[in-house]
Amino acid sequence: MTNLQIFLDIATEAALAAGEVLQGYWGKLEDAITEKGRPGDLVTAADKASEVVVLEVLRRHFPQHSILAEESGKLGNQDSEYLWAIDPLDGTTNYAHQYPCFAVSIGLLINGIPQVGVIYNPASNELFRAAAGLGTTRNRRPIKVSDSSELRKSLLVTGFAYDRRETSDNNYAEFCHLTHLTQGVRRSGSAAMDLAYVACGRFDGYWERGLSPWDMAAGIILVQEAGGKVTAYDRTPFKIETGRILATNGYLHDTLSHELMNIPPLSSW
C-alpha cells in the first residue's frame, strides 16, 4: 500500500468520525452559535467538536505532521513537508439553519501541493475521496468531471467571501455577468461541496475569491484527479495562499477564464 493510500484511508477515518459528530449536533445547536468577528462568519459547538475528532485521529497516526485547522490554527511540526488543512464544518451557516449542504473537508498538502483529499457530507451520506494518481471516487465509485464544452449550456457555482460588504472586489459583477451567459450560477455556501460537485460533474465550473487553504485543499485534488483543471483566474498556476480559484471540467476553462478577466466592475454598468 502506498503512502498516499494510507494517508487517504486515515483522512477518511477522520472525516467519517467527524461526520458522526455533526449528525449528533444536527438541529440541536440552540444558542451554541457565535460570530467570529465578521458578520455572517459563524462558529458553532459542532465545528469545534468535529475538529477535536479530526485532530485526534490525525495526531494519533501522524504526530510529526503539520496541521492547519480552521478553528485551532497552526499545530504540530511546522517544519514538516506534510500539512493537513482541515475544515471541520465547511458551510457552517447552512448547518446552523439546517440547510443540508455542508461537509467535513480534510486535505493533505505535500511540499505545498494538494495530494490527498476527503470531503464528507453526512446529511447526504456522500463521501468524496481522491489522491494523486489514484483517481476520485464518490462513495467508493469512480467519478469524473462533465463533458460540457459550451458556456451557454453550462451550470456554474460560486460563493461570496465574508468581506463582501467591505470591498468592491466582492464577486457580485462576476455573478451577474456569468448568470447571463450560462444556464445558471448557483451559490451553495460550501466551497468544499462546490469542488466535489465539479469533480462529479454536477457543476461544470467554479470560481471564488477570499478562500482559506482549508476551504480548498481537499477539493482541488478531487477535481484534478477527476479530470478537471484548477488554476488562478488568469490560468496561471494555482497558489493556495491567494484564496482565489478557478476550477472547471477543463473544456470550459479557457472560456471561463477569459470572461472572468474581462468583467467590468458593477460601478461601470
Side-chain angles (χ1 to χ4, degrees):
M1 184 180 293
T2 66
N3 281 345
L4 289 183
Q5 184 66 60
I6 293 171
F7 296 151
L8 181 60
D9 290 342
I10 299 305
T12 301
E13 175 189 340
L16 292 175
E20 288 188 17
V21 170
L22 297 182
Q23 285 178 307
Y25 277 93
W26 180 251
K28 302 174 184 176
L29 288 173
E30 298 176 348
D31 297 326
I33 304 171
T34 57
E35 287 188 339
K36 292 192 284 187
R38 293 174 296 185
D41 190 1
L42 305 182
V43 62
T44 72
D47 294 73
K48 296 174 182 178
S50 174
E51 185 164 293
V52 167
V53 170
V54 174
L55 293 177
E56 189 281 323
V57 173
L58 294 181
R59 284 167 160 168
R60 172 159 39 91
H61 289 280
F62 310 118
Q64 298 304 313
H65 287 190
S66 177
I67 294 174
L68 177 63
E70 180 174 16
E71 307 308 331
S72 302
K74 295 180 179 180
L75 303 167
N77 176 17
Q78 295 303 305
D79 294 324
S80 174
E81 64 184 310
Y82 300 100
L83 172 64
W84 293 94
I86 301 163
D87 194 334
L89 174 48
D90 186 60
T92 299
T93 301
N94 289 346
Y95 183 88
H97 288 269
Q98 297 183 53
Y99 178 64
C101 183
F102 60 89
V104 181
S105 180
I106 303 173
L108 174 63
L109 293 85
I110 303 178
N111 292 318
I113 300 173
Q115 296 283 284
V116 172
V118 175
I119 293 173
Y120 177 51
N121 180 347
S124 62
N125 195 30
E126 289 187 297
L127 175 67
F128 297 89
R129 308 188 335 142
L134 300 179
T136 305
T137 62
R138 172 191 169 273
N139 291 349
R140 314 284 178 164
R141 295 178 179 273
I143 56 174
K144 63 182 183 65
V145 295
S146 72
D147 58 5
S148 177
S149 59
E150 296 182 64
L151 199 60
R152 67 184 181 89
K153 295 181 179 179
S154 69
L155 180 64
L156 307 180
V157 66
T158 191
F160 302 96
Y162 294 116
D163 68 355
R164 62 188 178 274
R165 300 170 180 85
E166 305 152 15
T167 176
S168 59
D169 181 21
N170 53 23
N171 200 30
Y172 293 166
E174 292 88 337
F175 180 88
C176 294
H177 179 81
L178 287 165
T179 294
H180 282 284
L181 298 182
T182 63
Q183 290 187 345
V185 178
R186 302 292 181 252
R187 192 277 176 102
S188 80
S190 168
M193 292 307 301
D194 292 342
L195 287 163
Y197 282 5
V198 171
C200 71
R202 292 174 184 167
F203 291 128
D204 305 303
Y206 163 66
W207 83 95
E208 193 167 350
R209 58 163 294 280
L211 297 170
S212 298
W214 51 75
D215 297 314
M216 303 177 284
I220 290 166
I221 191 66
L222 290 181
V223 172
Q224 292 173 331
E225 284 296 306
K229 189 171 184 178
V230 179
T231 68
Y233 280 14
D234 62 0
R235 289 175 287 171
T236 57
F238 174 75
K239 295 180 180 178
I240 200 165
E241 63 272 13
T242 66
R244 194 176 295 250
I245 187 172
L246 172 60
T248 74
N249 61 7
Y251 302 105
L252 292 172
H253 206 86
D254 290 353
T255 301
L256 189 51
S257 170
H258 175 78
E259 294 296 336
L260 285 171
M261 297 304 296
N262 290 280
I263 295 171
L266 278 179
S267 60
S268 67
W269 288 29

